Amino acid sequence: MTATLTHWINGAAQPGASDRFGDVYNPAAGEVVARVPLASSDEVESAVQAAAEAAPGWAATPPIQRARVIFAFKELVESRKEDLARVVTREHGKVLSDALGSVSRGIEVLEFACGIPHLLRGDYTQSVGTGVDSFSSRQPLGVVAGITPFNFPAMVPMWMFPVAIACGNTFILKPSEKDPTAAMMLAEWLTEAGCPDGVFNVVHGDKEAVDAILAHPDIAAVSFVGSTPIAEYVYHTGCAHGKRVQALGGAKNHAVVMPDADLTMASDALIGAAYGSAGERCMAVSVAVAIGDKVGDALIEDLKPKIESIKVGPGTDGEADMGPLVTKAHYDKVRGYVDIGVEEGAELVIDGRDLSLQGYENGYFIGPCLFDRVTPDMRIYKEEIFGPVLSVVRAPDYDAALQMVNEHEFGNGVAIFTRDGDAAREFANKVEIGMVGVNVPIPVPVAYHSFGGWKRSLFGDHAMHGMEGVRFYTKLKTVTSRWPTGIRSGVDLSFPMMS
């Protein structure tokens, strides 16, 4: 019998009341495994009310006590991470090792959030004027919300709510309706760890729930991760309603392979970066830029047998390297992009479109695809495919490659493979991308640094987690104080001078 999920509001499971439901699939089998309620604006209102009622008490809770709740939650997630990873694999499709890795990256942010007493320390300056002192502090915003994508149903929420809650905010999570069970597990464990009712809430839903969150006057800030068109919509709509918004969008990440690069290392790195999680990563490398035809030919020759050896199978298969795509609609979209690349004249070196697995004929499997001689005017170069498709572009020299990367509308991540320290240093300085790897294909910052791209990959002024996350979820207050030793007479209407 198919399970029906609930919302999580005010510390307890709440059945859906909208009479609207969505199907949750196991993408390896193409079968429905659960139903998820799609919240109405009234149900969002209930979550906001619970969060608003809990906010004053939680904000007044000493940071060290908030950190203890996060630490207890971290211990629970660590002890049960295999259970969480299995749910991610079942509903998203990625192989179990990849799911476990993503949970571990979420745990790193929990570890960072445990240090919140130190991270919230303000500045103090004595005697900025005669008998005048000044100090600053960071205070919570109140009720905040997160809208998260299907590709990392455990990790991305953990990039948001631990920092937000540790800073003293209450949180409403709207996870992807495609794989929502992980969010419910996190909610239950957070309550088990001692988080007060109303501090963390989960509402499932579609655009109706998103719009209710963006328009609600009691939600002070919204974090979002997803495609660029939706990120832009979330940013502009949220800002129009007076909210602070960080909206992380799409990407087209390049890896520049220089003539002096260790080609074996570069091709090995490209395999994992392009085809890991079936390419459903905003940090996936989908374009390899070979400097010159000699490098291009050698790179294709090195990549081809490695790609052909990738084993595609259900995420529960311990020998599988790559699982299915998340939905039938996404499968059709990715396959359609491969068709477009062929029509545009790119050379399809490896074609994974007709992959069929015995026993999983209804699954959403597509094999890894490799294009050569892709040009910047092609759609498969310009647009985010979000699937296991790698395009090799040939640039005549380093300057042309740098210009190509900088002219792309997305600016999320980039890598350069080279043995030349000067070239790497110049590239890191001049490339107009938010996250740069030098001989590192997926330069995702660790938890105590911050994650965020440039250009149309990030809308808003703050990146995610690290100190940028602390700044996003708090507001700065500066107090200037004087304790006079005697009463002074007279009125001074001049602008205050610190003399």
Side-chain angles (χ1 to χ4, degrees):
M1 183 175 178
T2 301
T4 299
L5 299 177
T6 64
H7 306 297
W8 187 269
I9 298 174
N10 205 26
Q14 298 290 338
S18 69
D19 293 326
R20 295 192 308 123
F21 294 86
D23 290 330
V24 180
Y25 286 84
N26 174 347
E31 297 174 347
V32 175
V33 293
R35 293 202 316 155
V36 58
L38 304 177
S40 66
S41 57
D42 289 340
E43 289 170 296
V44 173
E45 175 64 37
S46 296
V48 175
Q49 183 177 347
E53 289 175 357
W58 185 244
T61 301
I64 188 65
Q65 293 184 25
R66 300 196 299 254
R68 286 169 183 157
V69 171
I70 298 297
F71 184 81
F73 175 60
K74 179 189 78 73
E75 295 285 282
L76 291 175
V77 176
E78 283 186 319
S79 66
R80 303 168 182 175
K81 61 185 179 182
E82 288 83 4
D83 296 335
L84 188 59
R86 279 191 287 270
V87 166
V88 171
T89 292
R90 183 187 68 186
E91 295 183 356
H92 174 271
K94 66 179 66 185
V95 297
L96 189 58
S97 60
D98 194 27
L100 277 167
S102 69
V103 171
S104 295
R105 292 306 294 261
I107 291 172
E108 289 177 8
V109 177
L110 292 174
E111 293 169 340
F112 171 78
C114 288
I116 202 65
H118 168 75
L119 301 172
L120 290 178
R121 288 194 314 166
D123 296 319
Y124 183 92
T125 304
Q126 189 174 21
S127 298
V128 297
T130 304
V132 180
D133 304 325
S134 187
F135 65 91
S136 63
S137 63
R138 304 204 70 91
Q139 298 184 345
L141 303 177
V143 180
V144 300
I147 303 168
T148 56
F150 69 79
N151 59 330
F152 290 104
M155 183 187 77
V156 172
M158 285 195 285
W159 281 12
M160 295 178 183
F161 73 80
V163 178
I165 289 174
C167 287
N169 303 283
T170 55
F171 199 92
I172 297 167
L173 173 64
K174 207 299 287 182
S176 171
E177 66 277 18
K178 295 180 177 67
D179 42 15
T181 302
M184 294 300 293
M185 295 173 70
L186 295 174
E188 292 177 13
W189 298 349
L190 192 54
T191 297
E192 185 180 343
C195 188
D197 294 348
V199 170
F200 182 69
N201 308 274
V202 178
V203 289
H204 306 288
D206 51 13
K207 188 175 185 297
E208 182 175 346
V210 170
D211 286 343
I213 288 170
L214 296 177
H216 202 290
D218 292 337
I219 296 178
V222 175
S223 300
F224 172 86
V225 176
S227 68
T228 286
I230 307 302
E232 190 168 22
Y233 172 79
V234 167
Y235 177 73
H236 290 300
T237 305
C239 290
H241 286 90
K243 303 188 190 315
R244 180 181 292 185
V245 182
Q246 57 176 186
L248 281 67
K252 197 72 178 179
N253 305 312
H254 298 67
V256 177
V257 183
M258 297 288 286
D260 67 336
D262 182 327
L263 201 65
T264 300
M265 182 179 74
S267 63
D268 286 345
L270 284 170
I271 295 297
Y275 302 111
S277 196
E280 293 173 321
R281 293 174 179 157
C282 69
M283 287 297 285
V285 170
S286 53
V287 179
V289 184
I291 306 301
D293 281 333
K294 182 178 179 180
V295 174
D297 292 343
L299 185 62
I300 291 292
E301 183 179 354
D302 209 48
L303 283 171
K304 193 170 182 293
K306 293 175 181 177
I307 295 171
E308 290 171 337
S309 70
I310 292 174
K311 181 177 180 181
V312 181
T316 52
D317 182 350
E319 296 182 358
D321 303 305
M322 194 179 90
L325 298 175
V326 67
T327 63
K328 178 63 164 58
H330 192 57
Y331 167 87
D332 291 339
K333 175 187 173 184
V334 172
R335 186 184 174 102
Y337 268 113
V338 180
D339 296 341
I340 289 169
V342 173
E343 293 168 5
E344 290 180 317
E347 180 185 338
L348 185 56
V349 179
I350 296 177
D351 185 355
R353 287 174 293 181
D354 295 326
L355 177 71
S356 180
L357 298 180
Q358 185 176 358
Y360 296 92
E361 289 83 2
N362 295 325
Y364 313 134
F365 292 96
I366 186 170
C369 300
L370 175 65
F371 278 106
D372 191 13
R373 301 190 182 278
V374 175
T375 57
D377 60 317
M378 295 179 179
R379 282 184 61 190
I380 60 169
Y381 173 82
K382 293 187 288 186
E383 299 176 14
E384 183 179 39
I385 298 175
F386 220 63
V389 182
L390 176 63
S391 298
V392 175
V393 180
R394 298 173 183 235
D397 51 39
Y398 164 84
D399 290 332
L402 178 62
Q403 181 179 354
M404 185 187 304
V405 175
N406 285 345
E407 287 179 349
H408 204 285
E409 66 171 322
F410 295 125
N412 208 46
V414 71
I416 185 171
F417 289 88
T418 181
R419 302 174 195 264
D420 187 333
D422 180 60
R425 182 176 184 275
E426 179 180 282
F427 183 82
N429 287 334
K430 291 186 175 181
V431 73
E432 296 170 7
I433 304 293
M435 292 171 283
V436 182
V438 176
N439 298 315
V440 174
I442 308 177
V444 177
V446 293
Y448 41 89
H449 286 270
S450 298
F451 181 102
W454 288 9
K455 297 184 281 191
R456 290 179 58 78
S457 292
L458 173 64
F459 298 88
D461 296 327
H462 291 283
M464 194 165 287
H465 65 63
M467 281 309 299
E468 279 286 281
V470 174
R471 295 184 189 100
F472 178 77
Y473 289 120
T474 57
K475 50 194 173 187
L476 180 68
K477 178 178 286 184
T478 304
V479 178
T480 303
S481 65
R482 176 168 59 190
W483 298 97
T485 56
I487 304 237
R488 293 182 174 88
S489 60
V491 176
D492 184 0
L493 301 180
S494 63
F495 193 84
M497 301 291 291
M498 296 303 178
S499 60

